[in-house]
Amino acid sequence: MNDRSRVSPGATVNVVLGELLRSAAAEGRDTLNPAEIARFVESFGAALAEGAPGGVDLRIELTNTREFGVVLSVGSGGLDAELDASNFRKDRAKVSASVELTDAADFLRLFRRTVAYRKMAAIAQRDERRPPDHVLEFCFGLMIGLGCEFSAANPDAPFVLRSLQLDGVQFNKRPTVASGGCEFGARAAGRLPRPIHKIDKLIHPKSIGVIGVSATSMNFGRIILNNLVGSGYPKEQLTILKPGEAEIDGVRCVEGLRALDGKLDLLIVAVAADAVYDLVDEIIESDAVESVMLIPGGLGETAKSREPAAKLAERINAAHGRPGGGPVFLGANCLGVVSHAGGYDSWFIPLERLPKPQKKPVRNSVMLSQSGAFMITRLSRNPWLDPRYMLALGNQTDLTHGDLLAYFAERAEIETIGLYIEGFRDGDGLDFAKAVRRAVRNGKQVVVYKSARTAAGAGGVMGHTASIAGDWQLADSVLRQAGAIVAEDFEAFDDLFYIAGALHHKKVGPRVGGISGAGFEAVGIADSIESDNFSLEMGALEQETVRRVGEILAAKRLDALVEVRNPIDINPGADDDAHLQVTQAFLDDPNIDAVVVGLDPTAPAIRGLESSKLRPGHDLSDPKGTVHIYPPLVADNDKPVIGIVDGGVLYDAMAARLMDQGVCVFRNCGRGTRALARYVEARLDGDAIRKRNS
């Protein structure tokens, strides 16, 4: 969608702005004066003047952001801009998108969500005319074209826009602009591209070296060595770099990098932070390693270390300009990597504290995180996430979020990617957004938790991974427009990453059926179908389905207690089989795309306990129970089924048995239905992205 040919309607505007920027630069200015703004506004047929009273003021901005390059933002203008931003929910005050990843029609689609557009549409309806969509689309096309033309991503750009703002914009007989401003500057040199193909060596190494292993104590290096061996990585493919030692724990030692008898695929560095600087220089000069994992913290997280850490990053960046691209570095301040496909675990967390049993027939997801603890806690709480790879990025001294996502976006065996992001390196937000778009085009889902929603959170980020947090709302808008599912909290991240993996191969649609033996739960399903910009709908049951469910209830002697509707409360007297039969009837209805079913574990008729004292055998061992009869139903249907097991610790075993067999289970109806709504929205948006780019 970033084809520069799309800017042709505004070619004249680009020329005029270019002339104005050159003239201002010749006078030593980096801003345009009011007369120059007026000439720019006139170049696209508008006038610099106050709009009509009662009209809808817009603010249209191009902003060259540190993370995402040039971003177009449009929303309410004037005083309303500040009031709306603090009082309206997501996408109502304004919408934003990277100019590299949108076009005029796509941006108009986003803008229709705003209160400003709805006011414009209401006024047009009152005046018996159409909303000014064609004028808006033309205007957005002009701005997107300018953003691409005067962007650091354009190597031919004579100048780079820092900001271009038009405020109080109205679209009457002639567009008017109440005020405007423009700042610009010269292009700055960016980082060299990382040789991201070497990530393959990082996650599928045929040889691993470890430096920093103590021969006498259980330091981090020794723990990492033990975890590598304990995870099954062959000792003969391991090398310890340790002068004066022949072997440690049965693994051979060599004196150093220059004593290696071949190039290492991966070197794990677990030395003290102050020893890293000289070691990195030796790694680069020796060209003995393809990829490096920097475990030590303290590189850039404190004021004292920021300058030397920045110089270290510069030296690593310069090495990428050499033949072969030099090694790639993961970290620093990095927990490490778990690569099931590569056969190794370098985390320094003992398996007794974090077992990693296989919970999926095929591991098909990736988790990438700046915080290693984030991955540990997520996996501990929900082992059914079960990623194929888990990588901690730490400080992004070299490899970035954009690099890793770009790599995994092209891997066919990966279907879902979850990321915890504290901050982006300069320009990497745009690379990341482009990688999101590629992943979505390739049929994947990308789930993101972007931290630092508050000023206090942003302050904590710098001290953790030496990252600059950036504008959270901007990141949220740009990443969602690129196709990511952005989670608002950790619980939502868990839910969305889990449901994306569980339902990846199911067909989706907006019409849902709700079933439960509890009235509150049936209502709760219906009350949870909306997200910020999307809503599921309760599907209208066909008469054949009504008849069929009625017969099921009659056979179970529940027909006098239950009215067939959607959502339906089938009564606490319904047993496992009744739930199953009604679920199947809903799935067979062509007006239902997915079913959320409360499995009612506490109901006496349900076989939900590990063992029952009152009714021996009426428990999870009974082949007539839910844990036995639901997995085949889920496997045999291409529509999603969300099972709700709302109960305490007594019913953890029921939920776990179902999840182990591939049934998508949530522990309350609100979480399950909200996750389904967000997931269906993302799948449908992904379909639209692929259609627009086909």
Side-chain angles (χ1 to χ4, degrees), residues 516-527 569 600 644 646 668-670:
S516 178
F520 90 91
E521 199 165 59
V523 174
I525 292 168
D527 276 347
D569 168 11
D600 304 327
I644 307 299
D646 197 345
N668 72 62
C669 65

Side-chain angles (χ1 to χ4, degrees), residues 6 24 51 91 155 165 196 278 299 302 309 312 339 354 359 425 427 451 465 566 582 593 639 684:
R6 65 188 171 179
D91 290 352
Q165 183 184 95
I196 65 171
D278 290 340
L299 299 176
T302 63
L312 177 71
S339 172
L354 190 68
K359 292 289 188 178
R425 294 291 301 264
S451 69
T465 55
N566 184 26
V582 175
D593 298 312
K639 295 179 182 179
L684 297 178

